[in-house]
Amino acid sequence: MKKEVLIVEDDTTSDYLLSILVTEMSKEILHAKNGLEAVELCRENTDIDLILMDVKMPVMDGFDACLALKANPDLEHIPVIFMTGLSDTEHVIKGFEVGGIDYITKPINHNELLVRMRAHLASSKATMSAREA
Protein backbone atom coordinates (compact mmCIF):
# COMPACT_ATOMS: atom_id res chain seq x y z
CA MET A 1 0.00 0.00 0.00
CA LYS A 2 1.26 3.46 -0.89
CA LYS A 3 2.25 5.48 2.16
CA GLU A 4 1.15 9.05 2.71
CA VAL A 5 2.61 12.41 3.62
CA LEU A 6 0.55 14.76 5.75
CA ILE A 7 0.97 18.44 4.91
CA VAL A 8 -0.10 20.66 7.80
CA GLU A 9 -0.24 24.19 6.45
CA ASP A 10 -2.80 26.99 6.81
CA ASP A 11 -1.48 28.99 3.84
CA THR A 12 -3.15 27.80 0.62
CA THR A 13 -0.24 28.76 -1.66
CA SER A 14 2.35 26.98 0.51
CA ASP A 15 0.10 23.93 0.73
CA TYR A 16 -0.24 23.84 -3.06
CA LEU A 17 3.52 24.15 -3.67
CA LEU A 18 4.30 21.45 -1.12
CA SER A 19 1.69 19.20 -2.74
CA ILE A 20 3.45 19.47 -6.09
CA LEU A 21 6.75 18.57 -4.45
CA VAL A 22 5.36 15.58 -2.56
CA THR A 23 3.63 14.32 -5.70
CA GLU A 24 7.07 14.17 -7.36
CA MET A 25 8.02 11.58 -4.71
CA SER A 26 5.04 9.38 -5.71
CA LYS A 27 3.46 9.79 -2.30
CA GLU A 28 -0.20 10.18 -1.50
CA ILE A 29 -1.03 13.43 0.27
CA LEU A 30 -3.30 14.30 3.15
CA HIS A 31 -3.93 17.90 4.18
CA ALA A 32 -4.67 19.65 7.47
CA LYS A 33 -5.13 23.38 8.06
CA ASN A 34 -4.08 23.33 11.72
CA GLY A 35 -2.47 21.15 14.35
CA LEU A 36 -5.72 19.80 15.75
CA GLU A 37 -6.82 18.55 12.32
CA ALA A 38 -3.39 16.95 11.90
CA VAL A 39 -3.60 15.03 15.18
CA GLU A 40 -7.12 13.84 14.34
CA LEU A 41 -6.06 12.72 10.83
CA CYS A 42 -3.13 10.77 12.27
CA ARG A 43 -5.41 8.99 14.74
CA GLU A 44 -7.71 7.95 11.86
CA ASN A 45 -5.04 7.02 9.31
CA THR A 46 -2.34 4.38 9.84
CA ASP A 47 -0.58 4.96 6.51
CA ILE A 48 1.04 8.34 7.29
CA ASP A 49 4.80 7.99 7.20
CA LEU A 50 5.90 11.65 7.31
CA ILE A 51 4.45 14.98 8.41
CA LEU A 52 5.42 18.37 6.99
CA MET A 53 4.26 20.78 9.70
CA ASP A 54 3.98 24.56 9.77
CA VAL A 55 4.38 26.11 13.20
CA LYS A 56 2.20 29.21 13.20
CA MET A 57 -1.40 28.09 12.62
CA PRO A 58 -4.82 28.79 14.12
CA VAL A 59 -6.57 26.47 16.62
CA MET A 60 -3.42 24.46 17.52
CA ASP A 61 0.11 25.42 16.48
CA GLY A 62 2.63 22.95 15.12
CA PHE A 63 4.61 22.65 18.36
CA ASP A 64 1.53 21.65 20.36
CA ALA A 65 0.43 19.26 17.61
CA CYS A 66 3.84 17.57 17.64
CA LEU A 67 3.68 17.22 21.43
CA ALA A 68 0.25 15.58 21.11
CA LEU A 69 1.53 13.17 18.44
CA LYS A 70 4.62 12.20 20.42
CA ALA A 71 2.51 11.61 23.55
CA ASN A 72 0.49 8.95 21.70
CA PRO A 73 2.31 5.57 21.50
CA ASP A 74 0.51 4.75 18.24
CA LEU A 75 1.68 7.99 16.57
CA GLU A 76 5.02 8.81 18.16
CA HIS A 77 6.99 7.06 15.40
CA ILE A 78 5.82 9.44 12.65
CA PRO A 79 8.66 11.83 11.74
CA VAL A 80 7.73 15.52 11.84
CA ILE A 81 9.59 18.07 9.74
CA PHE A 82 8.82 21.63 10.78
CA MET A 83 8.66 24.25 8.03
CA THR A 84 8.30 27.80 9.26
CA GLY A 85 9.34 31.42 8.97
CA LEU A 86 10.43 31.34 12.62
CA SER A 87 14.20 31.20 12.30
CA ASP A 88 15.43 32.33 15.72
CA THR A 89 17.38 29.84 17.80
CA GLU A 90 14.69 29.65 20.49
CA HIS A 91 12.10 28.33 18.02
CA VAL A 92 14.53 25.94 16.32
CA ILE A 93 15.44 24.43 19.69
CA LYS A 94 11.78 24.18 20.66
CA GLY A 95 11.03 22.34 17.41
CA PHE A 96 13.48 19.61 18.35
CA GLU A 97 12.46 19.58 22.02
CA VAL A 98 8.82 18.84 21.15
CA GLY A 99 9.85 15.90 18.97
CA GLY A 100 10.51 17.28 15.50
CA ILE A 101 13.10 15.40 13.45
CA ASP A 102 14.03 18.40 11.29
CA TYR A 103 13.45 22.16 11.10
CA ILE A 104 13.48 24.08 7.84
CA THR A 105 12.96 27.83 7.58
CA LYS A 106 10.90 29.48 4.85
CA PRO A 107 11.34 30.20 2.04
CA ILE A 108 11.91 26.52 1.50
CA ASN A 109 14.47 25.26 -0.98
CA HIS A 110 12.50 22.47 -2.66
CA ASN A 111 15.53 20.36 -3.58
CA GLU A 112 16.79 20.54 0.00
CA LEU A 113 13.37 19.54 1.33
CA LEU A 114 13.20 16.57 -1.05
CA VAL A 115 16.62 15.32 0.09
CA ARG A 116 15.67 15.72 3.75
CA MET A 117 12.33 13.97 3.23
CA ARG A 118 13.99 11.01 1.51
CA ALA A 119 16.59 10.73 4.27
CA HIS A 120 14.01 10.83 7.07
CA LEU A 121 11.72 8.39 5.28
CA ALA A 122 14.60 5.92 4.86
CA SER A 123 15.57 6.31 8.51
CA SER A 124 11.97 5.89 9.64
CA LYS A 125 11.57 2.77 7.51
CA ALA A 126 14.72 1.25 9.03
CA THR A 127 13.51 2.07 12.54
CA MET A 128 10.09 0.53 11.91
CA SER A 129 11.68 -2.63 10.47
CA ALA A 130 13.86 -2.94 13.54
CA ARG A 131 10.81 -2.50 15.83
CA GLU A 132 8.88 -5.20 13.97
CA ALA A 133 11.82 -7.60 14.21
Side-chain angles (χ1 to χ4, degrees):
M1 176 174 260
K2 190 181 272 192
K3 292 293 190 172
E4 298 169 341
V5 172
L6 173 58
I7 298 173
V8 189
E9 174 64 66
D10 63 327
D11 179 73
T12 308
T13 302
S14 294
D15 181 71
Y16 174 74
L17 293 173
L18 287 167
S19 296
I20 292 170
L21 186 69
V22 172
T23 301
E24 290 177 21
M25 293 183 68
S26 298
K27 295 285 182 183
E28 295 294 322
I29 305 168
L30 294 173
H31 302 270
K33 297 292 183 194
N34 61 63
L36 184 59
E37 282 184 25
V39 172
E40 290 171 355
L41 273 172
C42 288
R43 286 182 184 143
E44 297 168 3
N45 190 314
T46 59
D47 289 331
I48 295 172
D49 61 0
L50 181 76
I51 300 172
L52 300 176
M53 177 99 67
D54 189 15
V55 172
K56 292 173 55 177
M57 296 177 288
V59 184
M60 178 187 277
D61 72 19
F63 292 146
D64 288 340
C66 192
L67 279 171
L69 291 168
K70 299 305 173 181
N72 184 328
D74 294 329
L75 306 175
E76 67 183 353
H77 68 280
I78 305 172
V80 176
I81 298 176
F82 286 109
M83 306 166 308
T84 180
L86 301 173
S87 60
D88 57 283
T89 302
E90 175 187 340
H91 287 106
V92 174
I93 290 170
K94 185 172 183 178
F96 287 103
E97 287 178 341
V98 298
I101 196 163
D102 209 338
Y103 194 101
I104 302 171
T105 56
K106 294 177 181 177
I108 294 169
N109 176 305
H110 287 175
N111 290 329
E112 182 180 335
L113 178 59
L114 275 175
V115 168
R116 289 176 186 233
M117 287 175 64
R118 286 185 182 116
H120 292 306
L121 285 166
S123 177
S124 176
K125 184 178 180 181
T127 300
M128 290 304 291
S129 293
R131 276 185 178 181
E132 291 172 3

mmCIF file of all heavy atoms in Angstrom, residues 57-106:
data_model
loop_
_atom_site.group_PDB
_atom_site.id
_atom_site.type_symbol
_atom_site.label_atom_id
_atom_site.label_comp_id
_atom_site.label_asym_id
_atom_site.label_seq_id
_atom_site.Cartn_x
_atom_site.Cartn_y
_atom_site.Cartn_z
ATOM 1 N N MET A 57 -0.093 28.417 13.201
ATOM 2 C CA MET A 57 -1.398 28.095 12.623
ATOM 3 C C MET A 57 -2.483 28.380 13.648
ATOM 4 O O MET A 57 -2.216 28.393 14.853
ATOM 5 C CB MET A 57 -1.462 26.603 12.238
ATOM 6 C CG MET A 57 -0.501 26.185 11.170
ATOM 7 S SD MET A 57 -0.591 24.397 10.852
ATOM 8 C CE MET A 57 0.165 23.739 12.331
ATOM 9 N N PRO A 58 -3.711 28.576 13.175
ATOM 10 C CA PRO A 58 -4.819 28.785 14.118
ATOM 11 C C PRO A 58 -5.204 27.482 14.825
ATOM 12 O O PRO A 58 -4.758 26.405 14.437
ATOM 13 C CB PRO A 58 -5.959 29.264 13.211
ATOM 14 C CG PRO A 58 -5.640 28.678 11.864
ATOM 15 C CD PRO A 58 -4.141 28.633 11.779
ATOM 16 N N VAL A 59 -6.009 27.572 15.834
ATOM 17 C CA VAL A 59 -6.571 26.471 16.615
ATOM 18 C C VAL A 59 -5.501 25.774 17.460
ATOM 19 O O VAL A 59 -5.549 25.798 18.671
ATOM 20 C CB VAL A 59 -7.358 25.435 15.773
ATOM 21 C CG1 VAL A 59 -7.996 24.382 16.649
ATOM 22 C CG2 VAL A 59 -8.398 26.126 14.903
ATOM 23 N N MET A 60 -4.529 25.113 16.819
ATOM 24 C CA MET A 60 -3.424 24.463 17.522
ATOM 25 C C MET A 60 -2.168 24.651 16.670
ATOM 26 O O MET A 60 -2.173 24.314 15.489
ATOM 27 C CB MET A 60 -3.705 22.966 17.716
ATOM 28 C CG MET A 60 -2.573 22.203 18.398
ATOM 29 S SD MET A 60 -2.843 20.405 18.435
ATOM 30 C CE MET A 60 -3.898 20.272 19.877
ATOM 31 N N ASP A 61 -1.109 25.203 17.271
ATOM 32 C CA ASP A 61 0.112 25.419 16.485
ATOM 33 C C ASP A 61 0.863 24.101 16.279
ATOM 34 O O ASP A 61 0.522 23.061 16.854
ATOM 35 C CB ASP A 61 0.989 26.501 17.106
ATOM 36 C CG ASP A 61 1.694 26.092 18.395
ATOM 37 O OD1 ASP A 61 1.825 24.891 18.682
ATOM 38 O OD2 ASP A 61 2.125 27.002 19.126
ATOM 39 N N GLY A 62 1.883 24.157 15.453
ATOM 40 C CA GLY A 62 2.635 22.952 15.117
ATOM 41 C C GLY A 62 3.377 22.338 16.288
ATOM 42 O O GLY A 62 3.496 21.118 16.381
ATOM 43 N N PHE A 63 3.895 23.183 17.195
ATOM 44 C CA PHE A 63 4.606 22.647 18.356
ATOM 45 C C PHE A 63 3.663 21.832 19.241
ATOM 46 O O PHE A 63 4.006 20.726 19.661
ATOM 47 C CB PHE A 63 5.237 23.773 19.176
ATOM 48 C CG PHE A 63 6.377 24.484 18.479
ATOM 49 C CD1 PHE A 63 6.577 25.830 18.679
ATOM 50 C CD2 PHE A 63 7.259 23.812 17.638
ATOM 51 C CE1 PHE A 63 7.634 26.500 18.070
ATOM 52 C CE2 PHE A 63 8.313 24.466 17.017
ATOM 53 C CZ PHE A 63 8.497 25.820 17.239
ATOM 54 N N ASP A 64 2.483 22.374 19.526
ATOM 55 C CA ASP A 64 1.526 21.648 20.361
ATOM 56 C C ASP A 64 1.029 20.379 19.672
ATOM 57 O O ASP A 64 0.829 19.349 20.318
ATOM 58 C CB ASP A 64 0.341 22.545 20.736
ATOM 59 C CG ASP A 64 0.714 23.618 21.738
ATOM 60 O OD1 ASP A 64 1.744 23.466 22.436
ATOM 61 O OD2 ASP A 64 -0.017 24.625 21.831
ATOM 62 N N ALA A 65 0.859 20.449 18.359
ATOM 63 C CA ALA A 65 0.433 19.260 17.614
ATOM 64 C C ALA A 65 1.496 18.168 17.695
ATOM 65 O O ALA A 65 1.185 16.995 17.900
ATOM 66 C CB ALA A 65 0.146 19.616 16.157
ATOM 67 N N CYS A 66 2.753 18.550 17.555
ATOM 68 C CA CYS A 66 3.836 17.571 17.639
ATOM 69 C C CYS A 66 3.889 16.947 19.031
ATOM 70 O O CYS A 66 4.055 15.725 19.158
ATOM 71 C CB CYS A 66 5.167 18.226 17.283
ATOM 72 S SG CYS A 66 6.509 17.042 17.016
ATOM 73 N N LEU A 67 3.725 17.759 20.062
ATOM 74 C CA LEU A 67 3.685 17.220 21.427
ATOM 75 C C LEU A 67 2.565 16.196 21.579
ATOM 76 O O LEU A 67 2.759 15.138 22.182
ATOM 77 C CB LEU A 67 3.482 18.349 22.445
ATOM 78 C CG LEU A 67 4.713 19.146 22.839
ATOM 79 C CD1 LEU A 67 4.312 20.362 23.673
ATOM 80 C CD2 LEU A 67 5.701 18.274 23.585
ATOM 81 N N ALA A 68 1.390 16.495 21.024
ATOM 82 C CA ALA A 68 0.253 15.575 21.106
ATOM 83 C C ALA A 68 0.548 14.274 20.363
ATOM 84 O O ALA A 68 0.220 13.182 20.843
ATOM 85 C CB ALA A 68 -1.008 16.238 20.552
ATOM 86 N N LEU A 69 1.186 14.371 19.206
ATOM 87 C CA LEU A 69 1.526 13.174 18.437
ATOM 88 C C LEU A 69 2.543 12.312 19.179
ATOM 89 O O LEU A 69 2.407 11.089 19.256
ATOM 90 C CB LEU A 69 2.091 13.567 17.073
ATOM 91 C CG LEU A 69 1.102 14.203 16.096
ATOM 92 C CD1 LEU A 69 1.849 14.815 14.918
ATOM 93 C CD2 LEU A 69 0.086 13.186 15.620
ATOM 94 N N LYS A 70 3.552 12.946 19.735
ATOM 95 C CA LYS A 70 4.621 12.199 20.415
ATOM 96 C C LYS A 70 4.147 11.615 21.742
ATOM 97 O O LYS A 70 4.743 10.656 22.244
ATOM 98 C CB LYS A 70 5.852 13.089 20.628
ATOM 99 C CG LYS A 70 6.457 13.612 19.325
ATOM 100 C CD LYS A 70 6.783 12.484 18.363
ATOM 101 C CE LYS A 70 7.235 12.992 17.009
ATOM 102 N NZ LYS A 70 7.527 11.934 16.061
ATOM 103 N N ALA A 71 3.062 12.146 22.305
ATOM 104 C CA ALA A 71 2.510 11.608 23.552
ATOM 105 C C ALA A 71 1.659 10.366 23.307
ATOM 106 O O ALA A 71 1.310 9.658 24.247
ATOM 107 C CB ALA A 71 1.675 12.685 24.255
ATOM 108 N N ASN A 72 1.326 10.090 22.056
ATOM 109 C CA ASN A 72 0.493 8.947 21.699
ATOM 110 C C ASN A 72 1.386 7.809 21.188
ATOM 111 O O ASN A 72 2.015 7.937 20.139
ATOM 112 C CB ASN A 72 -0.512 9.362 20.621
ATOM 113 C CG ASN A 72 -1.477 8.269 20.264
ATOM 114 O OD1 ASN A 72 -1.161 7.086 20.296
ATOM 115 N ND2 ASN A 72 -2.679 8.662 19.894
ATOM 116 N N PRO A 73 1.444 6.675 21.906
ATOM 117 C CA PRO A 73 2.315 5.570 21.497
ATOM 118 C C PRO A 73 2.049 5.059 20.076
ATOM 119 O O PRO A 73 2.956 4.544 19.430
ATOM 120 C CB PRO A 73 2.020 4.476 22.524
ATOM 121 C CG PRO A 73 1.427 5.180 23.686
ATOM 122 C CD PRO A 73 0.723 6.381 23.145
ATOM 123 N N ASP A 74 0.833 5.224 19.587
ATOM 124 C CA ASP A 74 0.506 4.753 18.238
ATOM 125 C C ASP A 74 0.983 5.722 17.160
ATOM 126 O O ASP A 74 1.015 5.371 15.979
ATOM 127 C CB ASP A 74 -1.002 4.557 18.093
ATOM 128 C CG ASP A 74 -1.523 3.442 18.972
ATOM 129 O OD1 ASP A 74 -0.765 2.481 19.227
ATOM 130 O OD2 ASP A 74 -2.685 3.529 19.419
ATOM 131 N N LEU A 75 1.330 6.946 17.542
ATOM 132 C CA LEU A 75 1.683 7.987 16.565
ATOM 133 C C LEU A 75 3.099 8.519 16.730
ATOM 134 O O LEU A 75 3.606 9.216 15.847
ATOM 135 C CB LEU A 75 0.700 9.156 16.668
ATOM 136 C CG LEU A 75 -0.786 8.816 16.562
ATOM 137 C CD1 LEU A 75 -1.632 10.048 16.793
ATOM 138 C CD2 LEU A 75 -1.094 8.177 15.218
ATOM 139 N N GLU A 76 3.734 8.203 17.842
ATOM 140 C CA GLU A 76 5.025 8.812 18.160
ATOM 141 C C GLU A 76 6.125 8.509 17.149
ATOM 142 O O GLU A 76 7.104 9.244 17.044
ATOM 143 C CB GLU A 76 5.480 8.389 19.560
ATOM 144 C CG GLU A 76 5.817 6.920 19.664
ATOM 145 C CD GLU A 76 6.200 6.488 21.065
ATOM 146 O OE1 GLU A 76 6.327 7.351 21.947
ATOM 147 O OE2 GLU A 76 6.374 5.277 21.270
ATOM 148 N N HIS A 77 5.969 7.449 16.375
ATOM 149 C CA HIS A 77 6.992 7.056 15.399
ATOM 150 C C HIS A 77 6.986 7.902 14.131
ATOM 151 O O HIS A 77 7.942 7.870 13.359
ATOM 152 C CB HIS A 77 6.790 5.590 14.997
ATOM 153 C CG HIS A 77 5.535 5.378 14.215
ATOM 154 N ND1 HIS A 77 4.302 5.282 14.826
ATOM 155 C CD2 HIS A 77 5.319 5.283 12.878
ATOM 156 C CE1 HIS A 77 3.376 5.118 13.886
ATOM 157 N NE2 HIS A 77 3.964 5.119 12.713
ATOM 158 N N ILE A 78 5.932 8.675 13.894
ATOM 159 C CA ILE A 78 5.824 9.440 12.648
ATOM 160 C C ILE A 78 6.785 10.628 12.696
ATOM 161 O O ILE A 78 6.687 11.479 13.573
ATOM 162 C CB ILE A 78 4.379 9.952 12.417
ATOM 163 C CG1 ILE A 78 3.380 8.802 12.447
ATOM 164 C CG2 ILE A 78 4.305 10.694 11.080
ATOM 165 C CD1 ILE A 78 1.922 9.257 12.420
ATOM 166 N N PRO A 79 7.729 10.710 11.744
ATOM 167 C CA PRO A 79 8.658 11.830 11.736
ATOM 168 C C PRO A 79 7.952 13.133 11.359
ATOM 169 O O PRO A 79 7.129 13.168 10.447
ATOM 170 C CB PRO A 79 9.690 11.454 10.678
ATOM 171 C CG PRO A 79 9.249 10.198 10.052
ATOM 172 C CD PRO A 79 8.010 9.725 10.708
ATOM 173 N N VAL A 80 8.294 14.194 12.086
ATOM 174 C CA VAL A 80 7.725 15.524 11.841
ATOM 175 C C VAL A 80 8.840 16.462 11.407
ATOM 176 O O VAL A 80 9.823 16.644 12.128
ATOM 177 C CB VAL A 80 7.038 16.086 13.107
ATOM 178 C CG1 VAL A 80 6.545 17.509 12.860
ATOM 179 C CG2 VAL A 80 5.895 15.181 13.550
ATOM 180 N N ILE A 81 8.685 17.039 10.220
ATOM 181 C CA ILE A 81 9.594 18.071 9.736
ATOM 182 C C ILE A 81 8.865 19.401 9.854
ATOM 183 O O ILE A 81 7.823 19.599 9.226
ATOM 184 C CB ILE A 81 10.008 17.829 8.272
ATOM 185 C CG1 ILE A 81 10.753 16.500 8.123
ATOM 186 C CG2 ILE A 81 10.867 18.996 7.768
ATOM 187 C CD1 ILE A 81 11.106 16.146 6.686
ATOM 188 N N PHE A 82 9.408 20.295 10.669
ATOM 189 C CA PHE A 82 8.823 21.626 10.779
ATOM 190 C C PHE A 82 9.295 22.491 9.626
ATOM 191 O O PHE A 82 10.461 22.448 9.238
ATOM 192 C CB PHE A 82 9.236 22.295 12.105
ATOM 193 C CG PHE A 82 8.535 21.725 13.298
ATOM 194 C CD1 PHE A 82 9.222 20.949 14.219
ATOM 195 C CD2 PHE A 82 7.182 21.964 13.504
ATOM 196 C CE1 PHE A 82 8.582 20.421 15.325
ATOM 197 C CE2 PHE A 82 6.528 21.428 14.593
ATOM 198 C CZ PHE A 82 7.227 20.666 15.513
ATOM 199 N N MET A 83 8.364 23.287 9.078
ATOM 200 C CA MET A 83 8.664 24.254 8.030
ATOM 201 C C MET A 83 8.022 25.561 8.458
ATOM 202 O O MET A 83 6.801 25.636 8.586
ATOM 203 C CB MET A 83 8.064 23.821 6.707
ATOM 204 C CG MET A 83 8.448 22.446 6.268
ATOM 205 S SD MET A 83 7.376 21.896 4.946
ATOM 206 C CE MET A 83 5.776 22.174 5.662
ATOM 207 N N THR A 84 8.845 26.584 8.693
ATOM 208 C CA THR A 84 8.303 27.802 9.258
ATOM 209 C C THR A 84 9.174 29.007 8.942
ATOM 210 O O THR A 84 10.349 28.853 8.602
ATOM 211 C CB THR A 84 8.152 27.654 10.785
ATOM 212 O OG1 THR A 84 7.626 28.852 11.333
ATOM 213 C CG2 THR A 84 9.485 27.332 11.436
ATOM 214 N N GLY A 85 8.594 30.174 9.100
ATOM 215 C CA GLY A 85 9.340 31.421 8.969
ATOM 216 C C GLY A 85 10.052 31.794 10.250
ATOM 217 O O GLY A 85 10.833 32.740 10.286
ATOM 218 N N LEU A 86 9.797 31.058 11.327
ATOM 219 C CA LEU A 86 10.427 31.337 12.617
ATOM 220 C C LEU A 86 11.845 30.777 12.604
ATOM 221 O O LEU A 86 12.045 29.577 12.727
ATOM 222 C CB LEU A 86 9.618 30.707 13.761
ATOM 223 C CG LEU A 86 8.162 31.157 13.885
ATOM 224 C CD1 LEU A 86 7.433 30.335 14.943
ATOM 225 C CD2 LEU A 86 8.094 32.642 14.215
ATOM 226 N N SER A 87 12.832 31.654 12.473
ATOM 227 C CA SER A 87 14.205 31.199 12.300
ATOM 228 C C SER A 87 15.107 31.450 13.504
ATOM 229 O O SER A 87 16.271 31.066 13.478
ATOM 230 C CB SER A 87 14.823 31.867 11.073
ATOM 231 O OG SER A 87 14.828 33.277 11.238
ATOM 232 N N ASP A 88 14.575 32.056 14.572
ATOM 233 C CA ASP A 88 15.431 32.332 15.720
ATOM 234 C C ASP A 88 15.757 31.024 16.458
ATOM 235 O O ASP A 88 15.017 30.050 16.415
ATOM 236 C CB ASP A 88 14.786 33.347 16.665
ATOM 237 C CG ASP A 88 13.438 32.901 17.160
ATOM 238 O OD1 ASP A 88 12.451 32.998 16.395
ATOM 239 O OD2 ASP A 88 13.362 32.443 18.315
ATOM 240 N N THR A 89 16.874 31.034 17.132
ATOM 241 C CA THR A 89 17.383 29.841 17.802
ATOM 242 C C THR A 89 16.378 29.262 18.787
ATOM 243 O O THR A 89 16.232 28.037 18.879
ATOM 244 C CB THR A 89 18.707 30.169 18.529
ATOM 245 O OG1 THR A 89 19.629 30.667 17.561
ATOM 246 C CG2 THR A 89 19.295 28.935 19.202
ATOM 247 N N GLU A 90 15.674 30.111 19.505
ATOM 248 C CA GLU A 90 14.693 29.651 20.490
ATOM 249 C C GLU A 90 13.640 28.740 19.857
ATOM 250 O O GLU A 90 13.307 27.688 20.398
ATOM 251 C CB GLU A 90 14.006 30.854 21.143
ATOM 252 C CG GLU A 90 12.882 30.509 22.086
ATOM 253 C CD GLU A 90 12.136 31.753 22.572
ATOM 254 O OE1 GLU A 90 12.677 32.853 22.490
ATOM 255 O OE2 GLU A 90 10.994 31.584 23.024
ATOM 256 N N HIS A 91 13.129 29.130 18.691
ATOM 257 C CA HIS A 91 12.104 28.326 18.024
ATOM 258 C C HIS A 91 12.679 27.048 17.431
ATOM 259 O O HIS A 91 12.037 26.001 17.456
ATOM 260 C CB HIS A 91 11.383 29.146 16.959
ATOM 261 C CG HIS A 91 10.452 30.149 17.539
ATOM 262 N ND1 HIS A 91 10.733 31.493 17.555
ATOM 263 C CD2 HIS A 91 9.256 30.010 18.144
ATOM 264 C CE1 HIS A 91 9.748 32.142 18.144
ATOM 265 N NE2 HIS A 91 8.835 31.254 18.513
ATOM 266 N N VAL A 92 13.887 27.137 16.877
ATOM 267 C CA VAL A 92 14.525 25.944 16.315
ATOM 268 C C VAL A 92 14.720 24.904 17.420
ATOM 269 O O VAL A 92 14.372 23.726 17.253
ATOM 270 C CB VAL A 92 15.880 26.289 15.647
ATOM 271 C CG1 VAL A 92 16.600 25.019 15.201
ATOM 272 C CG2 VAL A 92 15.670 27.234 14.469
ATOM 273 N N ILE A 93 15.243 25.342 18.561
ATOM 274 C CA ILE A 93 15.445 24.427 19.689
ATOM 275 C C ILE A 93 14.120 23.836 20.143
ATOM 276 O O ILE A 93 14.010 22.628 20.375
ATOM 277 C CB ILE A 93 16.156 25.155 20.848
ATOM 278 C CG1 ILE A 93 17.603 25.454 20.458
ATOM 279 C CG2 ILE A 93 16.097 24.334 22.134
ATOM 280 C CD1 ILE A 93 18.329 26.376 21.410
ATOM 281 N N LYS A 94 13.085 24.670 20.232
ATOM 282 C CA LYS A 94 11.776 24.176 20.661
ATOM 283 C C LYS A 94 11.251 23.111 19.694
ATOM 284 O O LYS A 94 10.666 22.115 20.115
ATOM 285 C CB LYS A 94 10.779 25.323 20.788
ATOM 286 C CG LYS A 94 9.449 24.869 21.351
ATOM 287 C CD LYS A 94 8.515 26.015 21.655
ATOM 288 C CE LYS A 94 7.237 25.498 22.287
ATOM 289 N NZ LYS A 94 6.331 26.587 22.647
ATOM 290 N N GLY A 95 11.477 23.320 18.406
ATOM 291 C CA GLY A 95 11.030 22.344 17.410
ATOM 292 C C GLY A 95 11.592 20.955 17.662
ATOM 293 O O GLY A 95 10.905 19.951 17.537
ATOM 294 N N PHE A 96 12.857 20.898 18.047
ATOM 295 C CA PHE A 96 13.476 19.607 18.353
ATOM 296 C C PHE A 96 13.039 19.096 19.723
ATOM 297 O O PHE A 96 12.833 17.896 19.901
ATOM 298 C CB PHE A 96 14.998 19.697 18.255
ATOM 299 C CG PHE A 96 15.480 19.787 16.837
ATOM 300 C CD1 PHE A 96 15.896 20.994 16.301
ATOM 301 C CD2 PHE A 96 15.510 18.660 16.029
ATOM 302 C CE1 PHE A 96 16.336 21.081 14.983
ATOM 303 C CE2 PHE A 96 15.953 18.735 14.706
ATOM 304 C CZ PHE A 96 16.359 19.957 14.184
ATOM 305 N N GLU A 97 12.881 19.997 20.672
ATOM 306 C CA GLU A 97 12.463 19.583 22.017
ATOM 307 C C GLU A 97 11.076 18.951 22.036
ATOM 308 O O GLU A 97 10.817 18.051 22.828
ATOM 309 C CB GLU A 97 12.498 20.773 22.979
ATOM 310 C CG GLU A 97 13.892 21.189 23.368
ATOM 311 C CD GLU A 97 13.926 22.399 24.282
ATOM 312 O OE1 GLU A 97 12.934 23.153 24.362
ATOM 313 O OE2 GLU A 97 14.966 22.601 24.922
ATOM 314 N N VAL A 98 10.174 19.412 21.162
ATOM 315 C CA VAL A 98 8.818 18.843 21.148
ATOM 316 C C VAL A 98 8.732 17.578 20.307
ATOM 317 O O VAL A 98 7.673 16.969 20.211
ATOM 318 C CB VAL A 98 7.757 19.874 20.679
ATOM 319 C CG1 VAL A 98 7.711 21.058 21.617
ATOM 320 C CG2 VAL A 98 7.987 20.305 19.234
ATOM 321 N N GLY A 99 9.842 17.179 19.685
ATOM 322 C CA GLY A 99 9.849 15.905 18.972
ATOM 323 C C GLY A 99 10.040 15.975 17.473
ATOM 324 O O GLY A 99 9.984 14.946 16.797
ATOM 325 N N GLY A 100 10.258 17.169 16.936
ATOM 326 C CA GLY A 100 10.509 17.276 15.502
ATOM 327 C C GLY A 100 11.825 16.612 15.132
ATOM 328 O O GLY A 100 12.770 16.586 15.915
ATOM 329 N N ILE A 101 11.883 16.073 13.919
ATOM 330 C CA ILE A 101 13.096 15.398 13.450
ATOM 331 C C ILE A 101 13.946 16.327 12.591
ATOM 332 O O ILE A 101 15.123 16.093 12.361
ATOM 333 C CB ILE A 101 12.727 14.102 12.691
ATOM 334 C CG1 ILE A 101 13.934 13.212 12.536
ATOM 335 C CG2 ILE A 101 12.099 14.408 11.346
ATOM 336 C CD1 ILE A 101 13.599 11.797 12.179
ATOM 337 N N ASP A 102 13.322 17.432 12.116
ATOM 338 C CA ASP A 102 14.031 18.403 11.292
ATOM 339 C C ASP A 102 13.300 19.743 11.385
ATOM 340 O O ASP A 102 12.126 19.790 11.778
ATOM 341 C CB ASP A 102 14.093 17.930 9.834
ATOM 342 C CG ASP A 102 15.320 18.439 9.097
ATOM 343 O OD1 ASP A 102 15.903 19.461 9.522
ATOM 344 O OD2 ASP A 102 15.693 17.815 8.086
ATOM 345 N N TYR A 103 14.002 20.814 11.000
ATOM 346 C CA TYR A 103 13.450 22.164 11.103
ATOM 347 C C TYR A 103 13.985 22.963 9.927
ATOM 348 O O TYR A 103 15.190 23.164 9.810
ATOM 349 C CB TYR A 103 13.896 22.792 12.426
ATOM 350 C CG TYR A 103 13.158 24.040 12.829
ATOM 351 C CD1 TYR A 103 12.152 23.993 13.774
ATOM 352 C CD2 TYR A 103 13.485 25.278 12.279
ATOM 353 C CE1 TYR A 103 11.476 25.141 14.179
ATOM 354 C CE2 TYR A 103 12.820 26.430 12.666
ATOM 355 C CZ TYR A 103 11.822 26.351 13.612
ATOM 356 O OH TYR A 103 11.150 27.490 14.006
ATOM 357 N N ILE A 104 13.095 23.360 9.048
ATOM 358 C CA ILE A 104 13.475 24.081 7.840
ATOM 359 C C ILE A 104 12.789 25.447 7.853
ATOM 360 O O ILE A 104 11.579 25.531 8.094
ATOM 361 C CB ILE A 104 13.055 23.303 6.579
ATOM 362 C CG1 ILE A 104 13.682 21.913 6.579
ATOM 363 C CG2 ILE A 104 13.427 24.077 5.325
ATOM 364 C CD1 ILE A 104 13.161 21.005 5.488
ATOM 365 N N THR A 105 13.561 26.502 7.587
ATOM 366 C CA THR A 105 12.964 27.834 7.583
ATOM 367 C C THR A 105 12.531 28.218 6.169
ATOM 368 O O THR A 105 13.145 27.819 5.177
ATOM 369 C CB THR A 105 13.941 28.888 8.141
ATOM 370 O OG1 THR A 105 15.154 28.847 7.406
ATOM 371 C CG2 THR A 105 14.225 28.633 9.609
ATOM 372 N N LYS A 106 11.436 28.985 6.118
ATOM 373 C CA LYS A 106 10.904 29.476 4.848
ATOM 374 C C LYS A 106 11.669 30.734 4.457
ATOM 375 O O LYS A 106 12.092 31.472 5.333
ATOM 376 C CB LYS A 106 9.406 29.784 4.996
ATOM 377 C CG LYS A 106 8.558 28.558 5.264
ATOM 378 C CD LYS A 106 7.103 28.953 5.459
ATOM 379 C CE LYS A 106 6.239 27.741 5.757
ATOM 380 N NZ LYS A 106 4.851 28.093 6.007
#
